Amino acid sequence: MTLTIFHSGTVAAGPGGHGPDEPTALAVDDGVITAVGSAALALLGEADETVDLDGGYLSPSFADGHAHPLFGGLEDLGPQIRSCGSVEEIVESVRAWAAAHPEAEWIIGASYDATLAPDGLFDAAWLDAAVPDRPVLLRAWDYHTVWATPAALAPAGIPAETPEPALGRIVRRADGSPLGTLMEPGAIDLVLAVAPGYSLEQRVAALQAATGKYAAAGLTWIQDAWVEPDNVEAYIAAAVQDRLDARINLAFRADPLRWPEQPPVFEAARRRVGELASPLLTAGTVKFFLDGIIESRTACLLSPYADAPAETGLPNWDTTQLHDAMAAFDRLGFQLHLHAIGDAAVRMALDGLEEVQRRNGGRDRRPVIAHLQVVDPEDIGRFAARGVVANFEPLGACADDVMRLLTIPRLGERRAELQYPIASLARAGVRVSFGRDWPVTGHHPVPGLATAVTRQTADHAPEGGWLPNERIDVETALDAFTSGDAWQALAEQDWGALRPGMSAGLVWLSQDPRSVPEGELSAVGIRGTWLAGRRTFTGSTTLRP
């Protein structure tokens, strides 16, 4: 038994607790919170360890309601192209990496900025000129698009005469030949099927690196929102080898083309994880991609795209199969996690959840609809009735280059004003959780916290915020990153708040975010992170605009 006393700072008292009488100390014994405030201070003389908060803020640790840690960790293994500011920089980075790694059969990397080429379309010839002797496959930052060279397309069987896949798009030149840009799994998987995979050790190391990054950002729980059964072994190995610095819940991806054969596979994987009895690994969720993304016009909209009047998106499921699949996995006790970007996909998700309840009866499901980029106002009132957890990735809720150059032209000005209705759903009594969607966006929660509050870019534009009616206050944003994610995880009795008897998931912030000017929120630093009382990060990390 180890008694640790945190003192000389502000201890988060929970929603509505902001005031002069907030506690300044907290006691943790054997990983469990045992006392808060004066009761904790009274134990100071008995402590095995003390942590001087130095005027900082002790909060429930952050969580991530929608992320892809394995993908994020694997990015370190290829050419580093995320920071490249031009096509030329990407090509040079790939060329240099290929030259330094002559043993690599394929050059695989991520994540390039889709705004760097007109309309987000990238030509295979640009990469082929730099690396003509080996296949090159790069993911865009959205992970719904890839850029591939002819040497990667050929073994995948993608010549000019290849028909359009059922659930994807092959962007073509005027003569019908593939340009080199592939969209959505139906097209992307053709190449991934022939590309070499990663070894078990590489995947375990990627998970270790990813959860280490999360720990340094103050996080202790992650919803991995895209897990293929082939990767379950890596998660189990990482847990067995004690190489995880955060809890992870696995969400298995339901495949529209073969979902009827997946229930026993997912059940077996869940059973294996359960038998492991690791406090850091669970497998209770099934993920449905209902649509794609707006920037590639694959998100499903109720009316056509503003810049493509014949298109309304690319649905991944038809109504009958979606309802059957959702009901089947729900009957097995899996939580449903639904990717829905466009307003039509959001409506499809809500309709599906109503059908699940009609077929399977009522219970505490806590289904998650993630992203919710465009929501028709008529659907706002439907969320609370279905007990939906509205999971947002708030870093996207600003007028950045992607929004200005790709998203708004696709949606049109009127519909663009319906994006990321965080405040509207919170006012409607909906439980809101936050995620980062890393590596689609950055893994650190503080910039997302700042964006949710200000609706501004890192350089504080526009004044007053973009769609300011959807701004939320700091306490609501903190709640979404902590107790909101705990509610999503069905773990609100275990973590997500600082109360005696709860697991000590803690983050020590350099400042109280509620007392920091909104324009300076991004400067709040992480001084330490604790997972069930075990310190997983020591030091100081601060992200500045």
Side-chain angles (χ1 to χ4, degrees):
M1 306 286 281
T2 300
L3 176 63
T4 302
I5 305 296
F6 299 81
H7 64 91
S8 302
T10 300
V11 176
H18 191 196
D21 298 326
E22 280 190 305
T24 61
L26 180 137
V28 175
D29 197 353
D30 199 28
V32 177
I33 298 170
T34 56
V36 181
S38 58
L41 281 176
L43 299 171
L44 197 57
E46 305 172 24
D48 301 297
E49 176 189 21
T50 63
V51 177
D52 184 345
L53 298 173
D54 191 26
Y57 183 73
L58 191 67
S59 167
S61 53
F62 295 127
D64 194 319
H66 184 102
H68 309 286
L70 180 58
F71 293 161
L74 290 174
E75 284 197 6
D76 291 341
L77 300 183
Q80 300 303 292
I81 59 176
R82 179 172 287 272
S83 63
C84 293
S86 67
V87 170
E88 290 75 20
E89 280 188 50
I90 297 173
V91 171
E92 175 53 29
S93 178
V94 170
R95 185 206 61 75
W97 194 92
H101 296 82
E103 77 289 352
E105 296 179 17
W106 283 55
I107 315 301
I108 300 176
S111 308
Y112 63 86
D113 179 349
T115 67
L116 298 179
D119 215 27
L121 305 180
F122 288 70
D123 195 317
W126 302 339
L127 283 175
D128 196 43
V131 187
D133 61 324
R134 283 173 284 172
V136 180
L137 179 66
L138 304 179
R139 286 190 181 270
W141 42 252
D142 55 46
Y143 272 69
H144 287 254
T145 313
V146 300
W147 178 14
T149 60
L153 297 173
I158 307 182
E161 61 272 16
T162 300
E164 200 73 358
L167 299 175
R169 290 179 180 167
I170 301 170
V171 179
R172 302 176 188 274
R173 299 184 176 90
D175 64 1
S177 62
L179 177 69
T181 298
L182 308 177
M183 298 175 178
E184 299 303 330
I188 295 170
D189 288 353
L190 297 174
V191 179
L192 291 181
V194 297
Y198 296 96
S199 69
L200 177 63
E201 171 54 30
Q202 285 176 315
R203 287 175 287 158
V204 171
L207 288 170
Q208 181 178 19
T211 58
K213 287 182 179 180
Y214 274 118
L219 287 101
T220 60
W221 181 81
I222 307 159
Q223 173 60 69
D224 191 320
W226 182 354
V227 176
E228 302 292 347
D230 290 349
N231 282 322
V232 171
E233 196 67 41
Y235 294 91
I236 290 175
V240 169
Q241 296 173 27
D242 195 24
R243 294 170 71 176
L244 297 177
D245 282 324
R247 297 182 177 101
I248 301 179
N249 180 56
L250 308 184
F252 304 114
R253 181 179 71 93
D255 187 333
L257 299 179
R258 55 188 185 91
W259 78 263
E261 64 196 55
Q262 290 182 311
V265 177
F266 292 178
E267 277 194 293
R270 180 175 59 180
R271 186 166 52 251
R272 284 195 65 202
V273 171
E275 290 170 352
L276 183 66
S278 168
L280 300 183
L281 195 64
T282 54
T285 304
V286 172
K287 163 71 173 293
F288 287 75
F289 282 96
L290 300 193
D291 65 347
I293 59 171
I294 291 165
E295 292 73 27
S296 63
R297 301 189 193 90
T298 54
C300 291
L301 302 180
L302 292 172
S303 57
Y305 280 85
D307 61 349
E311 293 189 29
T312 56
L314 184 66
N316 289 321
W317 299 78
D318 68 41
T319 300
T320 299
Q321 68 169 183
L322 177 64
H323 291 179
D324 288 347
M326 290 174 64
F329 288 115
D330 176 78
R331 278 194 296 274
L332 295 175
F334 284 103
Q335 182 186 38
L336 305 181
H337 190 106
L338 309 167
H339 164 115
I341 293 281
D343 50 7
V346 173
R347 183 166 295 177
M348 190 187 311
L350 292 167
D351 290 346
L353 292 172
E354 290 178 357
E355 179 64 14
V356 166
Q357 184 165 329
R358 188 190 69 79
R359 294 189 191 185
N360 295 348
R363 68 177 178 86
D364 184 9
R365 292 181 167 85
R366 302 190 198 178
V368 179
I369 304 181
H371 306 308
L372 296 165
Q373 186 164 347
V374 183
V375 181
D376 189 283
E378 292 185 7
D379 288 324
I380 293 291
R382 302 175 65 193
F383 283 75
R386 298 278 76 80
V388 172
V389 179
N391 174 258
F392 287 97
E393 283 59 62
L395 203 57
C398 64
D400 59 8
D401 286 347
V402 175
M403 182 64 67
R404 292 184 299 100
L405 298 176
L406 291 178
T407 311
I408 292 177
R410 303 278 193 264
L411 292 175
E413 292 289 342
R414 182 195 61 80
R415 187 165 43 194
E417 294 181 357
L418 303 179
Q419 292 186 88
Y420 301 105
I422 303 173
S424 291
L425 283 167
R427 286 192 295 264
V430 179
R431 294 302 297 251
V432 173
S433 69
F434 277 171
R436 257 69 58 193
D437 205 12
W438 184 61
V440 175
T441 64
H443 71 285
H444 205 292
V446 171
L449 177 77
T451 304
V453 171
T454 66
R455 305 282 289 209
Q456 293 177 324
T457 60
D459 56 359
H460 309 299
E463 185 176 354
W466 173 71
L467 306 181
N469 289 339
E470 295 298 346
R471 293 174 57 179
I472 58 176
D473 60 38
V474 176
E475 287 200 27
T476 302
L478 285 169
D479 186 58
F481 269 133
T482 55
S483 61
D485 280 319
W487 179 263
Q488 175 184 322
L490 291 87
E492 73 279 5
Q493 300 302 318
D494 183 41
W495 54 267
L498 304 186
R499 294 194 300 269
M502 301 195 78
S503 178
L506 313 170
V507 58
W508 172 18
L509 304 178
S510 61
Q511 300 160 272
D512 183 343
R514 303 164 305 172
S515 302
V516 173
E518 291 179 350
E520 298 175 17
L521 279 169
S522 290
V524 173
I526 310 296
R527 292 186 174 178
T529 307
W530 288 261
L531 169 60
R534 173 174 66 91
R535 191 161 187 166
T536 55
F537 173 67
T538 302
S540 180
T541 62
T542 303
L543 295 186
R544 296 186 180 277

